[in-house]
Amino acid sequence: GIQVEQSPPDLILQEGANSTLRCNFSDSVNNLQWFHQNPWGQLINLFYIPSGTKQNGRLSATTVATERYSLLYISSSQTTDSGVYFCIGSQGNLIFGKGTKLSVKP
Amino acid sequence: SAVISQKPSRDICQRGTSLTIQCQVDSQVTMMFWYRQQPGQSLTLIATANQGSEATYESGFVIDKFPISRPNLTFSTLTVSNMSPEDSSIYLCSVAPSGNDEQFFGPGTRLTVL
C-alpha cells in the first residue's frame, strides 16, 4: 500500500521561530489534508490541499501532487501551536502519516 | 464542513467491562468512520458504518469486540467490549460530508482501562 513519511518526527522551537514540516507519499493520492492534534487529542482541520498553495494566517501549505509531497509552513510559532501535525492522503481509504510532534517553548 | 460531537469525552473503566461511545453529526452523512489512536501512535481505522447495513471492519478488528450501530444518518455508536488495558486509546469518529474525501473528526473519547 501507499506509504506516508513525515519529517521531522520531532521538532522543538523557540516561540517566534518559523518551521517547515514535510509529507512525502510513495504513490499518488487523490486528496491531501493537514491536521493539528492538540494536547487534548482533538484533530483540527488545517488545510484540504490536493494541489497548489493555501494560506490561513500564520500557516500555509503547498502540495506538489506530481512530485508526491506536501509542505506545511508555520511562521512566528506560538506555544499553542504545540501538538502533533498529521498529513493524511486519500485513495479510497485514508492514509495516515505518523505525524510530526512539535513543541514550542516560551 | 461538519460539526461532530462525541460522548463521553473521557472515561476510566475496569477491565472486563464495556463502554459505548456516541458520535453525533450536525448533518446527514452516508458513511461514518471509527478510528483508534493508541498512545503515541497514528490513527487506525476500525470500521466504516453505513446507515441500514452492517458495518465494514478492517483487518484486525471484529464485530464481537467493537459492535457498531448506525440507526440514522446523523448518529453512530461504537462499543468497546470486554475491555483490557490494551484498549486504552483515543477513539475518534469522522465523516466526509462534502463528497470530496475531505475528512472531519470528532473531538475524540479518551479511554483508560485499569
Side-chain angles (χ1 to χ4, degrees), chain B residues 71-94:
Chain B
N72 59 53
L73 291 173
T74 64
F75 185 80
S76 179
T77 67
L78 170 76
T79 299
V80 186
S81 304
N82 188 24
M83 289 184 286
S84 66
E86 291 71 33
D87 294 318
S88 298
S89 297
I90 299 174
Y91 292 86
L92 301 105
C93 64
S94 76

Side-chain angles (χ1 to χ4, degrees), chain A residues 2-3 7 26 31 33 39 42 50 52-54 62 64 66 68-69 73-75 82 87 89-90 93-95 101-102:
Chain A
I2 298 177
Q3 303 297 313
S7 59
S26 61
N31 299 304
Q33 291 181 254
Q42 187 167 4
T53 297
K54 291 185 177 179
T62 295
V64 183
T66 53
R68 303 192 301 271
Y69 74 88
Y73 305 95
I74 304 173
S75 64
S82 296
C87 70
S90 171
N93 286 341
L94 294 187
I95 306 150
K101 184 176 181 180
L102 174 63

Side-chain angles (χ1 to χ4, degrees), chain A residues 20 30 39 42-43 55 59 62-63 72 76-78 85 88 103:
Chain A
T20 300
N30 297 330
Q42 187 167 4
L43 277 166
Q55 181 157 6
L59 303 181
T62 295
T63 296
L72 177 69
S76 304
S77 60
Q78 301 175 357
Y85 290 80
I88 300 174
S103 299

Side-chain angles (χ1 to χ4, degrees), chain A residues 9-104:
Chain A
D10 295 278
L11 184 59
I12 299 174
L13 297 176
Q14 205 66 36
E15 197 169 27
N18 303 328
S19 64
T20 300
L21 281 57
R22 186 178 179 105
C23 176
N24 289 330
F25 287 85
S26 61
D27 201 347
S28 298
V29 293
N30 297 330
N31 299 304
L32 191 143
Q33 291 181 254
W34 284 97
F35 289 86
H36 174 216
Q37 188 168 38
N38 63 25
W40 296 271
Q42 187 167 4
L43 277 166
I44 300 165
N45 290 52
L46 298 178
F47 295 101
Y48 173 75
I49 186 165
S51 63
T53 297
K54 291 185 177 179
Q55 181 157 6
N56 184 3
R58 296 181 297 104
L59 303 181
S60 64
T62 295
T63 296
V64 183
T66 53
E67 298 187 20
R68 303 192 301 271
Y69 74 88
S70 184
L71 303 173
L72 177 69
Y73 305 95
I74 304 173
S75 64
S76 304
S77 60
Q78 301 175 357
T79 56
T80 52
D81 294 331
S82 296
V84 182
Y85 290 80
F86 289 102
C87 70
I88 300 174
S90 171
Q91 197 185 68
N93 286 341
L94 294 187
I95 306 150
F96 289 83
K98 294 186 176 181
T100 292
K101 184 176 181 180
L102 174 63
S103 299
V104 181

